[in-house]
Amino acid sequence: MTDLMHEPALTNPYDGLARYQLYIDGCWVDAKAGNTFTSTNPTTGHVWAEVAEGQAEDIDAAVTAARRAYENGWRDASAAERAAALRRLGDVLARPEVIERLAVHELLDTGKVIRETIGLARAFSTWCYYYAGVAENLRGSTIPVPMEHTFTYTVPGPMGVVAAITPWNSPILLMLWKLCPALAAGNTIVIKPSEVAPVSTLEFAKVIEQAGLPRGVVNVVSGQRDAGAALASHPGVDKVAFTGSTDTGKSVMRAAAENLTRVSLELGGKSPNIIFDDADLELAVNGIISGSFAAGGQMCTAGSRVLVQDSIYDAVLDRLVERVRAIKIGDPFDWASEMGALTWGKQFEAVLGRIETAQSEGARLVIGGGRPEMALNPDGFHIAPTVFADVSSSMEIAREEIFGPVAGLLRFKTEEEAISIANDTPYGLASAVWTTNLGRTHRMVRAIRAGTVWVNCYRRVSYAAPFGGVKASGLGHENGVEVMREYTEEKTVWIDTNREGRDAFKLA
Ligand code: NAD
């Protein structure tokens, strides 16, 4: 819980533009073509940073550096050495001044409020420490094959160069979900952050320097979509770990198919947040708030399809509106602010468009629906927390990812109907069920087709628990020890233990 009284006063440290180069092979370099692009501060709507625009040739340089670092040592580093490197990284990430620096950069780049960005930044080191332990415990198995004089076992080994392509909504955390298991397994990595919010990942590269990782093990190339495409299709990449939209995920998979590069995809969602009439309504309304409005609703796991049982529909709506009215939108550096701006202009326009369509399709706007009334910068990308009632499953607002602070309430009568609406989506990322009925809990967990089911809670994630989507929400998992399968290649070893050295399979 954030203790607002004792939190540090933080501000934008830049008078002019922040400037960043690419981080390749342990050096800060300009893009080969010399191009740059800018990042906008969503709170003000003004440019705050200029970063190098990496293109295919810079991606190639980074992949080459990562390959060299892999072959010249990292691949052969012992588990203890890899774990020590991750712990050093964790130690730097745990320093208060580093937490504050990364939180401030992510705030300036994404428009999230300081409460949110510092909360995330305080967790970064825990991913490193966890995967340090995972590196030390990576092991294969011995297999009792049905043959005499034969000893068979498996050994997990690294894959080579990993490409991490990340979105703008939570740049550092989603990058760490890839970097930590990649390094734990002995891979090197090239990271391409989103062109919309590239700065915090470039700032993170300074942490890599401070942690003293060997040069070339971690590389960061900022750039536009073409840089991502160049990375996904690069023949020197052994695995692509992608987080982003479903459409881009398909492009990544197509590009990777050309080289038979392994892929894991964390994609979009349209998660049902289902409230039964036996639920604790106070808790459930909290769950709608955090599921729909945390991070301004810019979450892949947003529970923007709120399914409410008929008999409590009006009671939930009333409580929700009361809570939404109290959400404080304000200066992101103010510790009391609960919601900031959307991350970029295009997203801001897109969300306003979805709100307009919802109204034209007959959903009832209950609160919000446009820019907030309070005095904020007129060029900022702020949208008031918005609630729609009388939403039906066929409306765009119930089908398309919104990625903004908008909750739509649908009505259901029976458990069967709730299940049918919940699964009526191409996505399958997350879901939540609010009920005090144990049998119903188990039935719903089994029936909902999604990678995560939260019961009487929302938005919990941990380094220790696997996270991933099904259907159009993705392929593979992140987090937990389970993810290591996605960053290792398993070798099966057969040893003939016959003393005479005869081949056990010789027929004569
Ligand atoms: P996006 O797909 O537009 O971009 C993601 C990244 O892919 C960016 O770095 C971009 O430059 C790069 N890219 C674009 N075109 C590419 C191509 N052809 N080949 C390779 N890379 C390419 O996504 P976004 O708008 O940045 O992020 C929002 C989306 O991400 C939402 O759909 C959201 O649900 C999803 N998301 C999913 C998760 C998850 O864990 N499932 C988490 C966060 C966000």
Side-chain angles (χ1 to χ4, degrees):
M1 173 86 53
T2 308
D3 178 359
L4 301 185
M5 297 299 291
H6 298 98
E7 292 295 359
L10 299 170
T11 53
N12 180 349
Y14 299 100
D15 286 333
L17 285 189
R19 291 181 200 281
Y20 289 84
Q21 295 171 293
L22 311 176
Y23 184 66
I24 298 176
D25 206 13
C27 302
W28 291 95
V29 295
D30 287 331
K32 286 187 195 295
N35 295 337
T36 59
F37 66 106
T38 56
S39 180
T40 300
N41 176 346
T43 309
T44 62
H46 301 148
V47 167
W48 77 282
E50 184 182 61
V51 304
E53 184 180 334
Q55 289 173 302
E57 50 194 348
D58 305 291
I59 290 289
D60 188 53
V63 172
T64 304
R67 171 68 52 196
R68 207 167 33 236
Y70 177 72
E71 288 177 356
N72 292 350
W74 190 248
R75 154 182 81 181
D76 302 315
S78 67
E81 285 168 321
R82 300 195 308 271
L86 280 163
R87 288 202 178 96
R88 285 201 306 279
L89 187 55
D91 288 347
V92 179
L93 284 170
R95 291 181 197 155
E97 70 277 13
V98 173
I99 290 172
E100 287 168 15
R101 202 172 76 219
L102 293 177
V104 164
H105 282 77
E106 202 137 285
L107 175 155
L108 291 168
D109 231 14
T110 64
K112 285 185 189 174
V113 292
I114 192 70
R115 276 185 188 208
E116 177 104 21
T117 61
I118 210 114
L120 287 171
R122 283 178 180 151
F124 293 159
S125 60
T126 61
W127 258 265
C128 300
Y129 294 139
Y130 177 78
Y131 282 99
V134 170
E136 287 165 331
N137 284 286
L138 254 190
R139 53 178 77 146
S141 51
T142 57
I143 301 169
V145 292
M147 293 151 198
E148 284 187 4
H149 312 300
T150 307
F151 178 56
T152 304
Y153 65 97
T154 60
V155 222
M159 302 174 105
V161 176
V162 169
I165 303 176
T166 52
W168 45 263
N169 60 331
S170 217
I172 300 181
L173 186 70
L174 297 173
M175 178 275 295
L176 282 174
W177 288 12
K178 300 162 180 55
L179 178 142
C180 291
L183 299 196
N187 303 294
T188 56
I189 190 164
V190 176
I191 302 158
K192 206 305 267 174
S194 165
E195 61 279 14
V196 177
V199 178
S200 59
T201 307
L202 289 162
E203 185 64 30
F204 172 85
K206 296 181 186 168
V207 175
I208 294 292
E209 286 188 303
Q210 287 174 283
L213 263 65
R215 56 188 283 194
V217 168
V218 178
N219 308 271
V220 181
V221 181
S222 46
Q224 303 289 326
R225 305 174 77 86
D226 61 305
L231 188 53
S233 61
H234 199 292
V237 166
D238 299 283
K239 185 232 158 65
V240 182
F242 173 81
T243 300
S245 63
T246 298
D247 282 346
T248 310
K250 289 179 188 172
S251 302
V252 166
M253 201 167 173
R254 275 192 294 268
E258 204 48 48
N259 302 311
L260 286 179
T261 308
R262 310 288 185 269
V263 289
S264 50
L265 305 173
E266 295 291 351
L267 309 175
K270 190 71 198 169
S271 303
N273 195 356
I274 308 167
I275 303 165
F276 285 98
D277 60 7
D278 56 41
D280 178 325
L281 293 196
E282 198 64 36
L283 279 184
V285 171
N286 280 346
I288 304 177
I289 296 285
S290 72
S292 300
F293 304 115
Q298 299 171 107
M299 299 170 278
C300 52
T301 51
S304 57
R305 282 194 301 149
V306 184
L307 278 57
V308 186
Q309 199 155 19
D310 200 32
S311 52
I312 52 162
Y313 191 90
D314 293 335
V316 167
L317 185 59
D318 288 350
R319 281 182 195 226
L320 178 62
V321 170
E322 201 182 307
R323 289 290 309 277
V324 166
R325 196 166 281 128
I327 291 176
K328 188 169 181 319
I329 306 179
D331 176 356
F333 282 107
D334 182 347
W335 285 94
S337 294
E338 293 170 314
M339 225 181 84
L342 297 200
T343 299
W344 56 312
K346 200 170 149 198
Q347 185 61 21
F348 172 77
E349 296 298 337
V351 174
L352 289 180
R354 297 262 192 239
I355 290 174
E356 217 176 289
T357 308
Q359 283 175 286
S360 70
E361 288 185 342
R364 176 161 56 96
L365 178 65
V366 186
I367 189 168
R371 278 182 183 276
E373 283 166 12
M374 51 227 301
L376 289 166
N377 192 311
D379 297 325
F381 307 136
H382 297 86
I383 292 185
T386 296
V387 176
F388 280 102
D390 303 339
V391 173
S392 74
S393 220
S394 60
M395 292 179 185
E396 181 191 82
I397 187 185
R399 305 207 69 78
E400 301 291 336
E401 201 174 27
I402 301 172
F403 239 63
V406 182
L409 270 61
L410 294 87
R411 208 182 275 268
F412 69 90
K413 285 202 170 67
T414 62
E415 199 175 297
E416 290 68 32
E417 195 187 356
I419 292 166
S420 153
I421 299 173
N423 287 335
D424 181 17
T425 169
Y427 295 110
L429 191 59
S431 60
V433 179
W434 301 84
T435 179
T436 48
N437 179 321
L438 187 59
R440 169 172 281 159
T441 300
H442 285 282
R443 290 192 298 276
M444 293 301 289
V445 165
R446 194 165 45 208
I448 296 174
R449 207 157 162 230
T452 292
V453 185
W454 286 296
V455 179
N456 296 331
C457 59
Y458 209 95
R459 218 181 164 223
R460 294 193 187 173
V461 288
S462 161
Y463 45 75
F467 173 85
V470 298
K471 294 159 67 183
S473 291
L475 210 66
H477 284 98
E478 299 199 291
N479 296 332
V481 290
E482 291 79 359
V483 74
M484 297 312 292
R485 278 197 166 273
E486 319 229 8
Y487 287 88
T488 50
E489 282 173 357
E490 199 160 63
K491 229 170 246 171
T492 305
V493 184
W494 298 78
I495 298 180
D496 180 8
T497 58
N498 193 333
R499 280 180 60 200
E500 280 87 47
R502 276 187 290 110
D503 186 339
F505 294 98
K506 229 168 172 177
L507 292 178

